[in-house]
């Protein structure tokens, strides 16, 4: 008997046994009429990886993937079976064995890829999952058939390789004199200065061309220096201007609170705002800007950056209540023309006791100048993965570094800045004016380039932190 008739034969055999048993009035057997797939487990699979040999040539090696390590969700309402954690890039899903569990030992059949022809399922079979496959669970009485779609998700990008995508020319940033991008509450915001005026743009879709102007929703005209005075904390944008602190979770509706004693908003933790007062000292607020307290420093406050300021809030890897706020930027070129490196400060905070303070540490005080972050114009730093990445245009002051030479990476909160070959700027990158960047909720790094109007979107391949990194093989 050919394979395509096996399922029919099994069902007929079951009915024959049922009818035979019913003839014996003393031993009546009733077979269950309900069916369902209750478990789905992959077997061992092969994964093909390409590496560079010492002579520069590619070499392919094969490793085994333990399929049982990948949990499968079974959606009984929509009849979908899938793995939420993607299989590694290069996994051979064209030859996969799987073990299927069913309710009441109901039978399982699988449809062929290009037709509705059914064939019996066996756990030892090699099945092609390069496309979603249809499985049927058939009750033992043959009266109930439930069909499921099984999809194997596989990483579509090579690990340790930054994949960049270019958007259309963004005309609104071509003539920008200053910019700052933020990810807040799941949306991207871009604050732009044109010298005498400002603008705010929002992107809710995550598409490179999905920007819309929202500056008209501000209670006042967007200040030209808004990009220097905006931070994100606890799902809210905080914008300081003219002794007023504005707050919004969407950039459309803004709350206004009088705010005295500060000159510039520079950073934020999960519960604390940080600013400079009119004396240039670092102050903080744990009550959303109502009151401000002087921050303790382990060095002279004259070393605080006041230009191209970025901040990163990094969670501790060992204590869920502790975070590290890193302040990065340059000092005034007019006052400190001999600076060759950016100035980096680090503060450690216990979120359960926000009022308790240890002094901020001046990172550049450590004798390791070979690993300092260069003093670059339009310097921007953002948290990415478990570290910080930074980039900028040509060096200023005593820094002779070429503009956008590379992306700098720090794995230790800004102490050492290294050249990580996994991070690089895209081919065709062009920026002849201010520059900024941010990271969205799907681990995409966004680059904004004045002059050229370029908007780039990229991510390190192999990341497990985003649904977008998965490929639904269909």
């Amino acid at each position: 008997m050919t394979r395509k008739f096996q399922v029919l034969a099994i069902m007929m055999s079951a009915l024959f046994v049922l009818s035979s048993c019913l003839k014996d009035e003393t031993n009546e057997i009733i077979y269950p009429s309900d069916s369902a797939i209750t478990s789905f487990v992959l077997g061992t699979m092969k994964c093909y990886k390409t590496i560079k040999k010492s002579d520069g040539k590619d070499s392919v090696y094969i490793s085994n993937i333990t399929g049982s390590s990948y949990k499968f969700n079974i959606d009984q309402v929509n009849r979908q079976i899938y793995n939420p954690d993607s299989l590694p890039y290069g996994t051979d899903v064209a030859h996969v064995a799987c073990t299927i569990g069913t309710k009441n030992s109901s039978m399982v059949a699988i449809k062929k890829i290009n037709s509705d022809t059914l064939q019996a399922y066996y756990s030892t079979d090699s099945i092609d999952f390069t496309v979603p496959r249809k499985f049927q669970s058939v009750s033992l009485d043959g009266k109930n058939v439930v069909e499921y779609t099984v999809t194997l998700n596989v990483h579509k990008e090579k690990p340790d390789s930054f994949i960049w995508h270019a958007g259309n020319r963004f005309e609104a940033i071509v003539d920008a004199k200053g910019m700052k991008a933020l990810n807040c509450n799941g949306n991207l915001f871009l604050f732009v200065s044109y010298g005498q005026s400002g603008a705010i743009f929002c992107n809710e879709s995550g598409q490179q061309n999905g920007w819309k102007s929202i500056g008209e929703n501000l209670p006042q005209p967007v200040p030209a220096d808004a990009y220097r005075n905006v931070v994100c904390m606890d799902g809210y944008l905080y914008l300081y201007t003219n002794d007023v602190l504005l707050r919004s979770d969407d950039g459309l509706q803004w709350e206004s609170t009088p705010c005295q004693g500060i000159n510039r908003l520079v950073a934020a933790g999960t519960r604390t705002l940080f600013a400079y007062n009119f004396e240039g000292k670092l102050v903080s607020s744990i009550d959303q800007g109502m009151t401000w307290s002087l921050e303790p420093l382990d060095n002279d406050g004259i070393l605080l950056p006041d230009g191209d300021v970025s901040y990163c809030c990094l969670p501790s890897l060992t204590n869920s209540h502790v975070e590290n706020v890193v302040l990065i930027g340059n000092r005034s070129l007019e006052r400190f023309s001999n600076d060759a490196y950016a100035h980096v400060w680090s503060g450690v905070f216990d979120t359960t006791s926000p009022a308790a303070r240890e002094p901020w540490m001046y990172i550049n005080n450590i004798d390791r100048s070979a690993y300092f972050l260069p003093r670059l114009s339009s310097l921007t730093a953002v948290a990415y993965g478990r570290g910080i990445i930074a980039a900028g245009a040509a060096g200023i002051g005593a820094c002779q570094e070429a503009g956008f030479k590379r992306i700098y990476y720090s794995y230790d909160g800004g102490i050492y800045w290294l050249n990580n070959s996994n991070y690089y700027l895209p081919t065709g990158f062009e920026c002849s004016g201010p520059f900024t960047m941010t990271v969205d909720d799907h681990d995409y790094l966004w680059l904004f380039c004045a002059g050229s109007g370029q908007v780039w979107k990229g991510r390190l391949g192999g990341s497990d932190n985003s649904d977008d990194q998965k490929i639904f093989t269909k």
Side-chain angles (χ1 to χ4, degrees), residues 27-299:
N27 296 289
E28 181 178 359
I29 298 177
I30 301 176
Y31 285 90
S33 61
D34 53 348
S35 64
I37 292 179
T38 56
S39 65
F40 187 92
V41 181
L42 295 177
T44 301
M45 296 165 290
K46 294 186 182 299
C47 184
Y48 297 85
K49 299 182 179 180
T50 302
I51 60 173
K52 290 281 187 185
K53 296 191 298 184
S54 58
D55 60 3
K57 296 181 179 180
D58 289 339
S59 177
V60 178
Y61 72 94
I62 303 173
S63 61
N64 289 327
I65 301 297
T66 304
S68 58
S69 300
Y70 291 83
K71 178 183 176 181
F72 274 75
N73 289 345
I74 300 179
D75 183 347
Q76 297 291 0
V77 175
N78 298 304
R79 308 302 187 194
Q80 299 286 330
I81 301 175
Y82 60 94
N83 52 312
D85 293 329
S86 296
L87 296 167
Y89 178 88
T91 301
D92 179 9
V93 293
H95 307 89
V96 181
C98 59
T99 301
I100 298 176
T102 61
K103 184 178 182 180
N104 297 323
S105 299
S106 54
M107 298 170 290
V108 177
I110 181 174
K111 284 186 178 181
K112 288 190 173 182
I113 291 179
N114 298 318
S115 72
D116 290 334
T117 302
L118 290 169
Q119 58 188 43
Y121 148 80
Y122 296 99
S123 60
T124 56
D125 283 350
S126 176
I127 302 174
D128 184 354
F129 280 103
T130 55
V131 295
R133 300 302 301 272
K134 302 288 186 181
F135 283 77
Q136 290 188 355
S137 174
V138 184
S139 62
L140 291 182
D141 66 359
K143 297 180 179 180
N144 188 23
V145 178
V146 181
E147 185 171 276
Y148 296 82
T149 300
V150 180
T151 303
L152 265 59
N153 299 324
V154 185
H155 282 302
K156 63 181 179 179
E157 296 171 351
K158 292 182 180 180
D160 301 331
S161 177
F162 223 95
I163 310 299
W164 288 105
H165 307 279
N168 294 337
R169 177 181 166 100
F170 192 7
E171 294 293 343
I173 67 173
V174 170
D175 297 323
K177 305 302 181 184
M179 295 188 295
K180 185 171 185 177
L182 302 95
N183 173 13
C184 190
N185 209 25
N187 297 324
L188 297 182
F189 296 90
L190 181 64
F191 289 74
V192 180
S193 172
Y194 298 114
Q196 300 299 319
S197 63
I200 308 174
F201 300 91
C202 178
N203 188 324
E204 299 176 343
S205 66
Q207 302 298 315
Q208 284 168 275
N209 305 317
W211 295 91
K212 60 181 181 181
S213 174
I214 60 169
E216 60 275 8
N217 296 291
L218 211 64
Q220 56 185 274
V222 180
D225 65 348
Y227 77 103
R228 290 166 47 90
N229 284 281
V230 62
V231 299
C232 178
M233 183 181 74
D234 195 27
Y236 286 90
L237 290 170
Y238 286 83
L239 174 62
Y240 171 74
T241 177
N242 299 324
D243 293 332
V244 173
L245 192 63
L246 301 172
R247 188 179 85 151
S248 174
D249 62 353
D250 59 5
L252 302 178
Q253 303 295 325
W254 294 83
E255 302 172 358
S256 177
T257 303
C259 183
Q260 301 290 331
I262 68 170
N263 185 44
R264 181 179 177 187
L265 200 58
V266 293
T270 57
R271 297 183 59 185
T272 308
L273 295 172
F274 299 95
Y276 291 153
N277 63 16
F278 287 93
E279 297 176 354
K281 296 181 178 180
L282 185 63
V283 294
S284 64
S285 173
I286 59 175
D287 54 13
Q288 300 178 3
M290 296 181 63
T291 59
W292 297 88
S293 302
L294 194 64
E295 285 288 289
L297 309 177
D298 75 349
N299 215 308

Side-chain angles (χ1 to χ4, degrees), residues 368-384:
R368 40 153 193 81
S369 59
Y371 300 100
F372 284 167
L373 181 62
R375 186 189 190 187
L376 305 172
S377 57
S378 292
L379 178 65
T380 306
V382 294
Y384 192 82

